[in-house]
Amino acid sequence: DGILHKVLGDDGVAYYAKCKSCEHENHHHNHFHFQCEECNELTCLKEEVNLDLPEGYEMKNYNCVITGICPKCKKTII
């Protein structure tokens, strides 16, 4: 209903993020997410991505998670 969006993390856990500037009719989250391998925090990356699918395919939504080390954890490792 334009309140939350669900992201399936690399660990198989469903995470939820509060929607910002979403409306029920205009609810989309076509952006990537980053999950830290150290603290497990999942972060929405702001840039939206447009994907070109083969002819005949119609995209509704997608979920993409990039894994690595977040800036906060990187500082504690070094």
Side-chain angles (χ1 to χ4, degrees):
D1 291 338
I3 298 169
L4 296 175
H5 74 277
K6 179 174 126 180
V7 178
L8 186 61
D10 189 52
D11 53 4
V13 174
Y15 293 86
Y16 296 87
K18 217 175 193 183
C19 293
K20 296 178 182 175
S21 68
C22 280
E23 300 169 7
H24 180 67
E25 300 82 23
N26 188 23
H27 187 79
H28 59 88
H29 296 283
N30 293 336
H31 57 265
F32 290 94
H33 301 85
F34 185 91
Q35 187 167 25
C36 181
E37 295 174 348
E38 292 292 317
C39 67
N40 216 32
E41 184 176 339
L42 191 79
T43 305
C44 290
L45 302 177
K46 294 180 183 180
E47 296 80 19
E48 287 212 11
V49 177
N50 292 313
L51 299 175
D52 292 325
L53 296 177
E55 188 175 331
Y57 289 84
E58 179 183 343
M59 179 175 48
K60 296 286 185 179
N61 201 352
Y62 61 83
N63 178 36
C64 182
V65 177
I66 301 167
T67 60
I69 307 297
C70 73
K72 180 179 70 181
C73 290
K74 192 172 182 178
K75 285 181 183 178
T76 62
I77 292 172
I78 296 176

